[in-house]
Amino acid sequence: MSHLLTNTPHVRKATASDKMTAVLDAIESDFLTGNIKERKLIERLGRGKEVIDISSATSMNLFHDTTERKLGAVVKKELAHLLEKFHSYPYLIQRDFGLEKAFSAFLKRWTGISIRLDEVAVSPSGVYGSYKTILLSRQGKYVLAPELIHQINKACFASLGKKVIEIPAILETGLLNLETLDRQLKRHAGDISCVYIYHTKPVKQIPHSYYLKLARLLQKYDVLGVIDIDSWYTSYGLDSKPWLPLTIPLLRKHCLFLFTMTKEIGAPGLRIGFIVGQENIVGGLKRFQRLSLEMSSPVTRFLAELTLPRIDMDMARKTLQKRMKTLTDGLSSLGFKVQVPPSGVNFFLHVPESFAASKRVLPDHIFTYHVLKNAHVLLRPGSNHGHRLNHWVRFVLGQPEKNIREVIKRFRKAGICGDMPLPQGLEKEYEKVISSL
């Protein structure tokens, strides 16, 4: 039996591991410097039991209230069938379409939109897993992506061998600058994998006319759009319909639509995502999944199939609307200027002007540090979604109302408010802490 190679400079050079390390370091330095600081800060200050994490969708605290009881009884009844899945090898040539049927019925029930089974593909590892499937199956070198998206998405695209071209957003609306998109599509025509479409911080409901312009650009350059609508049901205005893109035939013709079981369904642990699109494109993705041995766990598929019919999206929407009102009313009472987004589970808050005036460190990072240290509340720096959001911090409606009220209570007790001054010496303190991590 051969021995493992020793970890020497000569071996590392021969196996190109040094080169791979350099590639990964370059990707992180391009996109993830802020995320690395955030992670280190969490490791230092954010792991205590007293910390309320209102920064992410790690747990949406929705599943317990809306689904768990109904599903628990069914799983108990179906336990024998579930156990059978443990010794079932995942099919490469698919024979069981129960999950696709469940998702098609689910989407029809809550939006009225019909999709055929040959228009649905299941993505292991959720929406993030679909990035790999889509991009590795397409030959184009470039991915055109919004400047204002989670930077880790851009890092993912780059790690898959694609060159990311950022399309600027119009901060007043949160929409993509379609004139710039047009120029980039023209410049790189013939070598584009896809246009990734996600609106991190829309100010108002995105109009039909905007989506139609976007669809015409995709048609003009014969380019695939990938619309990530992970929050597609919850809205905060009478005129808001988050699933609007699916209702536009021209967009349906030129796009893939990504759905997740994380945000509004509250089952991120299942790691299941759905890709919806034209039959020929989805068929190509399924073929790629077979050839690349990308398998969906029979256990996970079965649990997701049992879950979808028992999700009450109206109850989830009502719960999230209450959470949004509790959060925004509370922040308003502290003197913060708030603007309720049209839909979704994210809320961005502008940091106090005294922090925004900081010349030494990014305002969102130093405010996040101050809140974590003094109120034991974990936020996310907005610049992790693009540098121009460095005056903002992100909340996620993942906590129940009682915890959101506790966040406001802690803010008030710590003197965190809209017109607070920048604490004396805070910038030096932050720099010292960061340099020690």
Side-chain angles (χ1 to χ4, degrees):
M1 185 175 180
S2 61
H3 295 286
L4 292 174
L5 295 174
T6 55
N7 186 18
T8 64
H10 175 75
V11 169
R12 288 198 299 273
K13 184 176 181 180
T15 58
S17 63
D18 282 347
K19 183 177 181 181
M20 175 56 72
T21 298
V23 169
L24 298 179
D25 286 346
I27 291 172
E28 287 186 336
S29 65
D30 277 348
F31 300 114
L32 297 182
T33 53
N35 293 80
I36 292 170
K37 287 182 180 179
E38 180 191 28
R39 187 175 68 245
K40 289 180 176 179
L41 204 59
I42 291 172
E43 290 174 354
R44 170 71 69 87
L45 299 172
R47 288 182 169 179
K49 291 183 179 180
E50 76 282 2
V51 172
I52 298 177
D53 181 359
I54 197 167
S55 70
S56 70
T58 303
S59 175
M60 288 300 295
N61 290 285
L62 283 172
F63 198 79
H64 318 293
D65 298 333
T66 61
T67 312
E68 193 169 275
R69 290 182 182 177
K70 291 182 288 186
L71 183 61
V74 175
V75 170
K76 186 176 181 180
K77 182 180 178 181
E78 297 285 343
L79 187 58
H81 298 296
L82 177 62
L83 292 176
E84 288 174 5
K85 305 296 179 181
F86 281 72
H87 51 82
S88 297
Y89 201 85
Y91 290 123
L92 286 175
I93 300 175
Q94 194 169 357
R95 306 172 197 177
D96 177 9
F97 294 90
L99 180 54
E100 288 83 354
K101 291 177 181 178
F103 178 73
S104 297
F106 174 76
L107 198 62
K108 174 71 173 179
R109 177 185 179 189
W110 296 108
T111 67
I113 296 171
S114 298
I115 53 172
R116 301 190 310 272
L117 290 185
D118 54 20
E119 295 178 316
V120 184
V122 174
S123 172
S125 300
V127 166
Y128 292 151
S130 70
Y131 299 162
K132 181 176 68 174
T133 303
I134 294 168
L135 294 184
L136 291 183
S137 66
R138 302 189 66 78
Q139 296 301 308
K141 177 181 179 181
Y142 298 98
V143 173
L144 277 56
E147 75 168 303
L148 303 184
I149 57 172
H150 198 336
Q151 296 293 83
I152 202 167
N153 289 22
K154 298 175 190 174
C156 175
F157 302 158
S159 73
L160 295 170
K162 305 300 182 180
K163 184 172 179 57
V164 178
I165 297 175
E166 299 185 32
I167 304 301
I170 301 170
L171 290 183
E172 292 77 15
T173 63
L175 305 183
L176 293 175
N177 187 320
L178 296 185
E179 292 182 1
T180 302
L181 177 60
D182 191 355
R183 289 195 296 269
Q184 293 291 2
L185 286 168
K186 182 178 181 180
R187 180 179 179 183
H188 300 289
D191 201 13
I192 298 172
S193 279
C194 70
V195 179
Y196 177 74
I197 300 162
Y198 184 84
H199 301 96
T200 292
K201 191 178 173 297
V203 175
K204 297 180 180 179
Q205 167 62 23
I206 302 174
H208 183 282
S209 58
Y210 168 83
Y211 280 123
L212 194 56
K213 289 178 183 177
L214 188 55
R216 287 169 178 162
L217 283 177
L218 298 174
Q219 180 184 47
K220 176 180 177 182
Y221 295 100
D222 191 24
V223 172
L224 177 69
V226 176
I227 300 183
D228 193 336
I229 48 175
D230 57 352
S231 297
W232 54 273
Y233 197 74
T234 301
S235 61
Y236 306 103
L238 295 176
D239 61 339
S240 183
K241 188 163 66 173
W243 63 86
L244 175 64
L246 272 172
T247 68
I248 301 174
L250 188 59
L251 210 54
R252 288 274 295 270
K253 185 177 180 180
H254 294 281
C255 288
L256 294 172
F257 301 84
L258 308 184
F259 293 84
T260 178
M261 294 188 71
T262 295
K263 301 292 177 63
E264 294 158 307
I265 293 176
L270 285 176
R271 303 316 305 151
I272 285 286
F274 299 95
I275 306 171
V276 174
Q278 292 287 300
E279 177 185 355
N280 61 326
I281 301 174
V282 170
L285 293 179
K286 290 180 178 178
R287 184 181 181 192
F288 178 82
Q289 287 178 323
R290 289 196 299 272
L291 294 176
S292 61
L293 303 181
E294 184 178 290
M295 303 178 188
S296 298
S297 160
V299 175
T300 305
R301 284 182 60 97
F302 187 68
L303 288 172
E305 182 183 337
L306 293 179
T307 299
L308 286 172
R310 291 161 180 86
I311 298 293
D312 188 333
M313 292 298 291
D314 282 339
M315 185 179 293
R317 176 170 61 184
K318 185 177 180 180
T319 300
L320 291 168
Q321 288 173 338
K322 287 182 178 179
R323 291 181 185 180
M324 180 65 82
K325 187 175 190 312
T326 299
L327 177 63
T328 55
D329 286 353
L331 291 171
S332 293
S333 73
L334 294 172
F336 287 101
K337 295 179 181 179
V338 302
Q339 185 171 38
V340 178
S343 60
V345 301
N346 297 335
F347 173 79
F348 284 83
L349 178 73
H350 197 284
V351 303
E353 292 299 334
S354 60
F355 284 78
S358 175
K359 303 297 183 183
R360 298 177 56 163
V361 295
L362 288 180
D364 57 336
H365 277 272
I366 193 173
F367 184 71
T368 297
Y369 166 74
H370 179 71
V371 170
L372 180 56
K373 179 190 173 188
N374 293 281
H376 303 297
V377 173
L378 181 59
L379 307 175
R380 169 160 291 167
S383 57
N384 288 3
H385 297 263
H387 185 74
R388 283 204 294 160
L389 289 182
N390 61 42
H391 289 180
W392 302 78
V393 288
R394 190 187 81 164
F395 295 73
V396 176
L397 303 179
Q399 294 289 342
E401 281 187 84
K402 65 175 184 178
N403 286 3
I404 295 175
R405 287 192 289 269
E406 176 63 20
V407 167
I408 301 302
K409 181 180 177 181
R410 292 185 185 186
F411 273 35
R412 183 171 282 110
K413 184 177 180 180
I416 298 168
C417 56
D419 60 356
M420 67 176 293
L422 181 66
Q424 189 173 3
L426 182 61
E427 291 167 301
K428 288 184 178 180
E429 177 186 333
Y430 173 79
E431 289 173 324
K432 184 178 179 180
V433 169
I434 291 298
S435 65
S436 70
L437 297 177

